[in-house]
Amino acid sequence: MNSIETLKRTDLLRERCLVGGQWTNGNSTFDVFDKATAEKIASVPNFGADETKQAIDQAYKALSAWRAKTPVQRSALLRKWFDLAVANASDLAKLATAESGKPLKEAEGEAAYAAAYIEWFAEEAKRMYGDVIPNASPDQRIVVIKQGVGVCAGITPWNFPLAMITRKAAPALAAGCTIVLKPAGETPLSALALAALADEAGIPAGVINLLTGDEIAIGKELTGNPLVRKVTFTGSTPVGKLIVKQSAETLKKVTMELGGNAPFIVFPDADIDKAVQGAIAAKYRNAGQTCICTNRFLIHSRVFDEFTDKFTKQVSQLKVGNGFEPGVDIGPLISQEALEKTKSFIADATEKGAEITFGGRPHSSGKLFFEPTVVTKAKPAMRFFQEEIFGPVAPLYAFEDEAEAVQLANSTPYGLAGYFYGRDIGRIWRVAEALEFGMVGVNTGLISNVMAPFGGIKESGYGREGSKYGLDDYTTTKYVCMAGIES
Ligand code: SIN
């Protein structure tokens, strides 16, 4: 039975977009498929530049009333949205599993993670503190206030179709901004369901707008329209660069959460069993399709064989299949293109001398499935040392000393997440500080949570999402100089 038949609230499956408080459809549509079965599950509007402009106008119209609400009022509405997201988490998870392919247990985790961003920013709305600065002359007082940046545009990816929506919309709304969202074409249904719940929560018309359709036309309007003052994007580095270029014309504020190439270093004093557990989590979550998934395992030569044996044994136990089947760990990849890319990494590596210790081929569960794979004798000359794999392939490289491990880890243009396992406290600090990544996991393979600042450096982007820093990206700092105060 597919997901739609098991939804408790069938009205959460929306095939219209939310623009200025109206659920609208257009002249043309595109289909959304279940990634495990290839069945069509819905058709959504194929909107373009005109509808995007209308949505931006609606967001602009709603801005002054929304920003005039007190933080406590905005927080209360966000809290209602959070309550509804929690109450409907099981349906949200089913939609995410159907359209993205991720296992239901992961989608349930994502639904909770997505809701947590709304709750977090409902609280942070009340903490948008300013400052009072010592005055420059006796008749002055200097006050600094934080204000919402204005109309925001959020462009979100398919790998976290729920959490990336709330990670952008919730801080925007908390800061007093309005937003136009464009979810990925592969996974619009999770986003539309969240928009339906925001609408139901009483978030006023025009404050959240959500459009599906032509990504180039919508993207151009969102990045070019002068009413939009901020663009936040999660996705690939090449697309991020394009968005930055397009946004530069009107000097918009931008947040870029882009690609990664995470190293996972295992030092010889690491607890190898724990490192293996962390490695499974950091590599195979969402079939390897997250920006913070391990791309390169760097294992000290002294523990290489032990790690490889234990890791391969664990990988061989991962269950591949339709995400709705109980016990499934690895679902389908998002597209045929993703599958072909994964195959091409394996072909390149084996041609250059790598060995496939486990997996290495498409999986019999369906057209988009790929076996969880372990590759040994990996070398920096292989393509997957520099390129983001975004699939369930784990290349294992050997190293001899700490300096080499850090050098290998940092020799990439990316700088999103890095992980390492070891117990020497001096080395823990040295390596954590030396790794050129925005996020570092020490003795853990799971680093995402709403309390922590998510974001990268180098070509992985800039800006931070979540945490106490997450609101900053949606605010501007205004300095008010009050003079004429006679003593
Ligand atoms: C991402 O891959 O972009 C997000 C991953 C996460 O939040 O854990």
Side-chain angles (χ1 to χ4, degrees), residues 310-353:
K310 290 182 170 170
F311 180 63
T312 306
K313 194 164 168 226
Q314 292 279 315
V315 174
S316 70
Q317 284 160 16
L318 295 173
K319 186 174 166 194
V320 181
N322 185 322
F324 283 104
E325 280 168 28
V328 160
D329 302 296
I330 310 258
L333 297 184
I334 194 69
S335 64
Q336 191 62 38
E337 196 189 344
L339 189 105
E340 294 306 327
K341 191 170 168 212
T342 306
K343 276 163 63 182
S344 78
F345 282 127
I346 303 283
D348 170 76
T350 46
E351 262 167 42
K352 292 175 182 158

Side-chain angles (χ1 to χ4, degrees), residues 466-480:
S467 80
K468 69 171 184 174
Y469 306 100
L471 213 53
D472 291 348
D473 277 43
Y474 295 86
T475 64
T476 53
T477 301
K478 185 180 280 178
Y479 144 54
V480 181

Side-chain angles (χ1 to χ4, degrees), residues 233-267:
F233 170 70
T234 297
S236 74
T237 294
V239 176
K241 287 180 182 176
L242 183 68
I243 289 175
V244 171
K245 275 190 199 141
Q246 290 178 182
S247 304
E249 195 56 40
T250 45
L251 282 181
K252 299 185 197 318
K253 193 166 172 142
V254 284
T255 295
M256 292 287 131
E257 297 294 359
L258 308 179
N261 185 348
F264 186 110
I265 309 171
V266 180
F267 287 106

Side-chain angles (χ1 to χ4, degrees), residues 167-178:
R167 190 150 96 183
K168 295 180 186 321
L173 268 55
C177 303
T178 57

